[in-house]
């Protein structure tokens, strides 16, 4: 980095002194109407933003790289730099250049990082923008804090294992992370965090995670003696993380965080746990492709406000466990569902309301403008209308929403009198405050308007006096007001004109009278702009003083919008109200997949029933062909349970849901090169997590286990897993196990709580017709070759595959001792002889054992049936 030295100009040395403390950020250095960047910052910013890289004289024989942007257009450029992974330090002039003695004073007024965005660009984002801090005290003890500076939301939690920490970070999707030293030194955990979130990790001093420091910082901010009133007095881990987050926010914002009014602890014991794997597998709020399309969120989100679009994501990701609270939501949804007119009226009002939470955040942080105040006023004007429409509701939650809203009449009237509808984006140009709001302002307006009228009269007088019809009275920031005369008319100018500037085709003049009036006008305009700014800041202060009440109203609006959205989804898609039960059973009649049914033509989706409990129907082994709908069905069950517990109606004719504490999924897999884990290792790790953590209240979705290894190993693991889930540790979680290992169907004969189901198909004219209907019993075939033909494999490959399959189904070995799958009807005896020699030399011991059972030429299938018969007889003898 360039160092301060005597060869540079005082201004450039000032820049370097400030830059020294912000080496990890691009420094926006205010010069007049521009933010300038120098040295390496200029090179980096120009490449990211596509700016022209120029140079600036900086002292004796010094010319440094430079680029710049207009200050009033900075927000878009800042957003692009943040998106590129950079931080931006804003350096402003902190004194009037006209009053400065020597170089103008400058200082950093704000540091902008990915987790501290509050600008206009973030208003269009439907999700939260969290800064998250994580503290670790012991191997499995974590404190988590997450703050959204743009809304004022501040959450904390304590977690008792890595898995829950990773799941919460995945759900929160923070924009920026603060990690304590213990986590940064744990390579394994750090790798998991980086895998599940792409948030950059910002460096902070380790002492900021100290509990005492954090406790003192929080109580000082909230102006309380202790944290008992927030319910986190004993949450030392979370307080340590929260202290680091709050200190970082204060250090970057350089202002009072007045809109952060409370800290909210939450417990994972009160919500259904959906880990990062299940969130991805079920495509709750983001599809595998990373967008909202074809997700549960897309089907349920008919919200009209930005606040609600964030809240519905939270409801989807954190379904409730408390039946009375779930029913409160369902009661409200049902009332709105039955009243289409009221639902429509709410939508019409709600769509006129902007993002109150984020507007309030900008205003409280000093980043707002006149348009923000105007938008806030327009939104608050809609609250009385919502309260009036809620006056006749009967459900408890809707009544509570009405009672939680405040009209803020006095504030609305104040903003209505004070803020112009056409206020500019800049707060330093005036034209924000309405005439009649302030007497002093009105006087200054008269002076400036009168002065402009005087200038118009002067121009007409001078035209008449000189006879120069093209004469103009103009203004610029360099010369102020002047009279411009074209060269062809210079012989007509009067003697009291004083030449000020010569142009190519004209000359500019001033007169004593013009300069005297200019001083009056400019002085009045300067006072006017300064007074408007002070009045604007006073309005912002009065808004900030009511931040807590406005935030409460905004939250009530968001809850109403989400409930109305769920009612709208239920009406459009013909959902029904689920019935929540204290026991652990699950009964669904004619259940449908909420996403897939809308991707198909209306009425094309085939509904299916589900019965699960911890006794007779605890593990369902589901077999059937590829593409028959096994994966769709098991995901569907999980989604319907989740929807019911979040307070939504469900796509089913009837649904009785025993509370589920957690949804586990083991569906598909991909290798993790960064962690050195193969596809099979990832699959086994996910399976181990399920077996070690499932409870009797959990529901497990297994879509194939053991595919990443040999057939016998895979089958053995799949069998043992199903056996363990049935009775291994006594938990007996409800399980849906889709598989192509048809041998697992035999488990129904051995275990009371295991049942076989298959997805029906019909064969017709050498074609397979998928019926997509779940029926009792196991499937006979997988029809993989049929699917391969549909996928476009060459005819020769399909024909050969049919031939090999036929050989396998007839017998596993030829009379010559050669594996039947390599036999061919084509005459290629030499090749077959070589194959036979190869397999005779390397015969698998397991195949040899099976062959020893082939009395009277029994096939392997017949041998397997013989083994199953032995198992059945042994079971009966045991009983």
């Amino acid at each position: 980095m360039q160092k301060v030295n005597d060869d540079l100009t005082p201004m450039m040395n000032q820049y370097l002194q400030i830059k020294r403390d912000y080496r990890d950020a691009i420094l926006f250095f205010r010069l007049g109407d521009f933010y300038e960047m120098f040295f390496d910052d200029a090179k980096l910013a120009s490449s990211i933003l596509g700016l022209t890289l120029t140079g600036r004289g900086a002292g004796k024989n010094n010319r440094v790289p430079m680029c710049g942007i207009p200050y009033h257009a900075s927000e878009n450029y800042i957003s692009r730099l943040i998106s590129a992974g950079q931080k931006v330090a804003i350096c402003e002039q902190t004194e009037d250049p006209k009053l400065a003695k020597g170089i103008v004073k400058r200082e950093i007024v704000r540091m902008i990082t990915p987790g501290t965005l509050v600008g206009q660009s973030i208003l269009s984002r439907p999700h939260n923008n969290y800064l998250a801090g994580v503290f670790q005290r012991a191997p499995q003890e974590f404190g988590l804090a997450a703050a959204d500076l743009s809304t004022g939301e501040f959450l904390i939690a304590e977690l008792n294992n890595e898995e829950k920490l990773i799941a919460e970070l995945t759900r929160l999707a923070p924009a920026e992370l603060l990690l304590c030293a213990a986590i940064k030194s744990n390579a394994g955990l750090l790798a998991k965090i980086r895998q599940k979130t792409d948030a950059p990790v910002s460096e902070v001093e380790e002492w900021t995670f100290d509990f005492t420091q954090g406790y003192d910082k929080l109580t000082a901010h909230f102006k309380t003696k202790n944290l008992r009133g927030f319910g986190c007095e004993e949450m030392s881990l979370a307080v340590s993380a929260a202290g680091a987050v709050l200190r970082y926010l204060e250090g970057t914002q350089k202002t009072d965080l007045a809109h952060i009014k409370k800290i909210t602890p939450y417990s994972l014991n009160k919500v259904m746990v959906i880990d990062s794997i299940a969130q991805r597998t079920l495509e709750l709020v983001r599809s595998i492709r990373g967008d909202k399309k074809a997700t549960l969120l897309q089907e349920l989100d008919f919200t009209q406000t930005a606040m609600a679009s964030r809240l519905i994501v939270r409801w989807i990701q954190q379904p409730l466990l408390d039946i009375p609270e779930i029913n409160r939501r369902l009661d409200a949804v049902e009332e709105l569902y039955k009243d289409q007119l009221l639902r429509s009226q709410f939508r019409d009002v709600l769509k006129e309301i902007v993002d109150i939470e984020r507007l309030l955040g900008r205003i409280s942080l000093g980043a707002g403008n006149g348009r923000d105040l105007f938008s806030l006023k327009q939104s608050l004007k809609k609250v009385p209308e919502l309260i009036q429409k809620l006056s006749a509701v009967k459900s408890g939650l809707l009544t509570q929403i009405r009672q939680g809203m405040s009209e803020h009449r006095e504030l609305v009237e104040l903003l209505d009198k004070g803020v112009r509808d056409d206020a500019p984006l800049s707060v330093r140009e005036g034209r924000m405050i309405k005439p009649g709001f302030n007497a002093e302002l009105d006087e200054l307006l008269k002076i400036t308007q009168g002065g402009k009228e005087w200038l118009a009269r002067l121009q007409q007088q001078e035209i008449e006096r000189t006879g120069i019809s093209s004469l103009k009275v103009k203004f610029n920031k360099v010369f102020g007001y002047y009279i411009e005369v074209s060269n062809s008319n210079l012989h007509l100018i009067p003697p009291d004109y004083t030449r000020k500037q010569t142009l190519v085709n004209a000359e500019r003049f001033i007169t004593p009278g013009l300069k005297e009036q200019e001083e009056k006008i400019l002085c009045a305009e300067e006072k006017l702009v300064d007074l408007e700014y002070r009045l604007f800041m006073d309005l912002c202060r009065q808004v900030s003083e009511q931040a807590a009440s406005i935030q409460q109203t905004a939250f009530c609006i968001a809850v109403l919008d989400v409930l109305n959205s769920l009612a709208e989804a239920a009406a459009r898609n013909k959902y029904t109200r689920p019935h929540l039960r204290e026991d652990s059973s699950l009964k669904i009649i004619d259940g449908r997949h909420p996403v897939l049914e809308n991707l198909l033509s209306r009425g094309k989706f085939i509904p299916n029933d589900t019965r699960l409990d911890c006794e007779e129907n605890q593990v369902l082994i589901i077999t059937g062909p590829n593409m028959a709908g096994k994966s769709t069905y098991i995901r569907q069950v999980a989604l319907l349970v989740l929807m019911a517990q979040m307070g939504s109606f469900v796509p089913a004719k009837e649904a009785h849901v025993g509370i589920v504490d957690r949804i586990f999924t083991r569906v598909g897999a991909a290798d993790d090169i960064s962690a050195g884990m193969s596809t099979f290792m990832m699959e086994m790790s996910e399976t181990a997590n399920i077996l070690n953590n499932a409870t009797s209240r959990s529901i497990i979705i297994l879509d194939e286990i053991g595919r990443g290894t040999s057939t016998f190993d895979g089958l053995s693991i799949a069998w043992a897993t199903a056996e363990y889930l049935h009775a291994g540790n006594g938990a007996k979680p409800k399980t849906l196990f889709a598989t192509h290992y048809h041998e697992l169907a035999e488990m129904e004969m051995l275990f009371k709580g295991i049942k076989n189901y298959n997805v029906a198909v019909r064969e017709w004219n050498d074609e397979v017709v998928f019926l997509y209907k779940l029926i009792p019993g196991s499937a006979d075939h997988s029809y993989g070759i049929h699917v391969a033909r549909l996928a476009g494999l060459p005819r020769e490959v399909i024909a050969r595959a049919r031939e090999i399959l036929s050989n396998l189904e007839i017998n596993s070995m030829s009379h010559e001792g050669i594996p039947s799958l390599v036999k061919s009807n084509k005459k290629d005896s030499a090749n077959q002889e070589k194959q036979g020699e190869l397999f005779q030399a390397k015969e698998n011991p397991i195949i040899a054992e099976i062959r020893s059972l082939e009395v009277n030429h029994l096939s392997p299938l017949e041998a397997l049936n013989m083994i199953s018969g032995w198992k059945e007889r042994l079971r009966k003898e045991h009983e």
Side-chain angles (χ1 to χ4, degrees), residues 258 270 551 778:
K270 296 181 179 180
Q551 286 173 335
S778 62

Side-chain angles (χ1 to χ4, degrees), residues 420 429-453 520-521 523-529 531-532 535:
R420 290 177 52 157
E429 296 178 3
R431 305 192 313 281
M432 293 184 295
I433 307 300
K434 284 182 177 180
F437 182 71
N438 179 273
E440 183 183 354
L441 184 70
D442 291 343
E443 285 299 317
L444 291 171
L445 281 170
K446 286 180 182 178
I447 294 173
T448 57
Q449 290 171 357
K452 291 175 181 177
E453 291 172 0
K520 292 181 182 178
I521 295 171
C523 183
E525 287 182 345
E526 188 174 325
K527 289 181 179 179
L528 178 67
V529 170
L531 178 59
E532 283 209 43
L535 291 171

Side-chain angles (χ1 to χ4, degrees), residues 272-516:
M272 179 194 292
V273 177
I274 309 172
D275 63 23
S276 58
I277 297 168
Q279 290 180 45
R280 184 188 70 245
T281 299
L282 298 176
E283 298 183 287
L284 300 181
V285 298
R286 282 184 293 275
S287 69
I288 299 298
R289 299 181 301 276
D291 55 24
K292 182 181 174 181
K293 293 180 180 178
T295 63
L296 180 62
L297 176 62
Q298 184 183 42
E299 300 306 322
L300 299 181
D301 188 4
F302 294 95
T303 58
Q304 303 298 302
T305 65
M307 295 96 70
S309 70
R310 293 190 291 272
L311 183 61
I312 195 171
V313 168
R314 196 177 314 158
W315 282 24
I316 290 173
Q317 293 179 327
Q318 291 189 314
L320 303 176
L321 300 182
D322 184 66
I323 292 179
E325 187 60 32
I326 296 170
N327 281 326
R328 273 166 50 82
R329 290 183 182 180
L330 289 171
D331 290 343
V333 172
E334 183 172 14
E335 185 170 355
L336 294 168
Y337 170 80
K338 291 179 178 179
D339 194 335
Q340 182 180 358
L341 178 60
L342 182 61
R343 206 167 63 240
S344 177
Q345 290 174 340
F346 277 139
R347 286 170 61 83
D348 289 340
V349 177
L350 289 167
K351 68 183 179 183
E352 300 295 327
I353 297 175
V354 298
D355 196 338
I356 294 175
E357 291 175 335
R358 281 181 168 161
L359 282 180
L360 185 61
R362 285 169 50 80
I363 293 167
S364 298
L365 289 167
N369 55 44
R371 293 187 188 180
D372 292 334
L373 287 179
F374 174 76
S375 297
L376 178 63
K377 176 203 70 174
Q378 293 296 98
S379 295
L380 292 178
K381 272 186 172 182
K382 296 293 180 181
V383 174
E385 193 172 348
L386 291 176
I387 293 175
Q388 187 276 324
K389 293 184 184 303
L390 285 164
S391 60
V393 297
K394 294 181 173 56
S395 67
L397 185 52
L398 291 178
T399 301
Q400 185 180 347
I401 289 170
R402 183 188 69 230
Q403 295 170 346
M405 289 184 181
S406 299
E407 294 187 2
H408 301 96
R409 288 188 183 276
E410 292 182 1
L411 180 61
V412 170
E413 290 175 4
L414 179 68
L415 295 177
D416 204 26
K417 291 178 181 177
V419 183
R420 290 177 52 157
D421 298 358
D422 59 346
L425 289 173
S426 173
V427 297
R428 294 288 189 175
E429 296 178 3
R431 305 192 313 281
M432 293 184 295
I433 307 300
K434 284 182 177 180
F437 182 71
N438 179 273
E440 183 183 354
L441 184 70
D442 291 343
E443 285 299 317
L444 291 171
L445 281 170
K446 286 180 182 178
I447 294 173
T448 57
Q449 290 171 357
K452 291 175 181 177
E453 291 172 0
W454 183 89
L455 289 170
R457 290 197 303 272
L458 174 66
Q459 178 173 298
Q460 187 59 38
Q461 290 170 2
E462 291 302 305
I463 289 174
E464 293 173 357
R465 181 161 78 99
T466 62
I468 304 172
S469 59
S470 61
L471 180 147
K472 301 289 184 185
V473 177
K474 296 182 177 181
F475 173 84
N476 67 32
K477 291 184 178 181
V478 177
F479 297 109
Y481 288 99
Y482 57 84
I483 299 170
E484 186 172 287
V485 178
S486 62
N487 288 343
S488 60
N489 292 309
L490 290 178
H491 63 287
L492 297 175
I493 63 171
D496 59 336
Y497 277 29
T498 300
R499 182 178 284 103
K500 191 69 176 177
Q501 184 183 23
T502 299
L503 304 177
V504 175
N505 298 316
E507 293 201 14
R508 293 171 175 173
F509 301 89
I510 58 173
T511 67
L514 179 60
K515 296 310 290 181
E516 181 181 346

Side-chain angles (χ1 to χ4, degrees), residues 593-878:
H593 193 291
V595 179
L596 189 57
E597 74 164 339
N598 285 327
L599 295 177
L600 301 174
S601 302
R602 178 65 66 179
K604 293 290 186 181
F605 189 88
I606 306 298
N608 277 296
D609 298 346
T610 302
R611 284 179 175 81
L612 281 168
D613 52 54
C614 293
E615 301 299 332
E616 298 291 332
N617 300 280
Q618 186 232 324
V619 179
L620 305 189
I621 303 294
I622 303 169
T623 51
N626 295 294
M627 294 178 61
K630 300 189 302 299
S631 298
T632 297
Y633 170 73
I634 61 176
R635 286 178 170 93
Q636 166 188 311
V637 174
L639 289 174
L640 266 61
V641 169
L642 184 153
M643 291 172 67
Q645 289 186 220
M646 69 172 280
S648 169
F649 282 24
V650 299
K653 183 178 180 180
E654 188 179 329
H656 300 268
V657 180
I659 290 297
V660 169
D661 65 355
R662 183 163 183 174
I663 293 176
F664 289 95
T665 63
R666 211 320 314 142
V667 179
D671 55 6
D672 183 359
I673 297 175
S674 63
M677 299 176 71
S678 67
T679 299
F680 182 65
M681 185 61 178
M682 287 286 291
E683 180 183 322
M684 290 299 98
S685 297
E686 293 174 8
T687 304
N689 174 50
I690 294 171
L691 299 181
N692 291 325
N693 293 292
T695 73
S696 60
R697 287 283 184 180
S698 302
I699 188 166
I700 299 173
I701 305 301
L702 300 175
D703 193 355
E704 300 291 356
I705 286 182
R707 291 182 302 177
T709 186
S710 71
T711 301
F712 287 119
D713 281 354
L715 174 57
S716 302
I717 293 170
W719 183 295
T721 298
E723 198 172 283
Y724 184 86
L725 288 170
H726 176 261
N729 65 351
K732 306 191 77 171
K734 297 180 289 295
T735 304
L736 297 169
F737 194 158
T739 182
H740 284 287
Y741 290 132
H742 294 178
E743 294 86 347
L744 297 185
E746 295 179 27
M747 299 185 77
E748 184 181 57
M749 297 185 294
L750 302 173
F751 303 100
K752 178 182 177 182
I754 297 181
K755 294 291 185 290
N756 286 327
Y757 284 87
N758 73 95
V759 186
V761 298
R762 291 292 181 268
E763 295 185 62
W764 183 74
N765 287 346
D766 201 30
E767 294 289 335
V768 175
V769 179
F770 298 115
L771 301 182
Y772 304 110
K773 196 68 179 177
L774 194 73
I775 59 176
S778 62
D780 297 326
H781 304 287
S782 288
Y783 299 96
I785 295 176
H786 173 76
V787 175
R789 183 175 64 80
L790 293 177
L793 266 65
R795 292 180 179 178
E796 297 86 347
V797 174
I798 298 298
R800 178 58 176 152
R802 291 187 190 281
E803 189 174 53
I804 294 173
L805 177 63
S806 177
N807 291 336
L808 287 170
E809 290 176 339
I810 293 171
N811 205 333
S812 66
M813 306 290 288
S814 70
H815 293 295
E816 296 82 9
I818 301 172
S820 295
L821 78 158
V822 301
K823 286 179 60 181
S824 174
N825 294 329
K826 296 180 181 179
K827 294 182 179 180
D828 188 0
S829 56
N831 185 47
Q832 289 183 29
E833 185 175 339
K834 291 180 181 178
Q835 291 174 336
E837 292 173 357
L838 175 64
F839 280 94
Q840 284 173 351
K842 297 183 178 181
E843 185 174 30
N844 191 304
I846 298 175
I847 294 176
E849 182 178 344
I850 293 174
R851 286 181 62 209
S852 70
L853 298 173
E854 292 180 345
V855 182
N856 297 325
H857 304 291
L858 285 176
S859 70
L861 185 59
E862 291 169 326
L864 191 56
N865 288 334
M866 179 186 291
I867 295 171
S868 297
W870 292 342
K871 288 180 180 178
E872 177 65 8
R873 295 207 309 274
L874 286 170
R875 184 178 71 83
K876 289 180 178 178
E877 288 176 6
H878 178 71

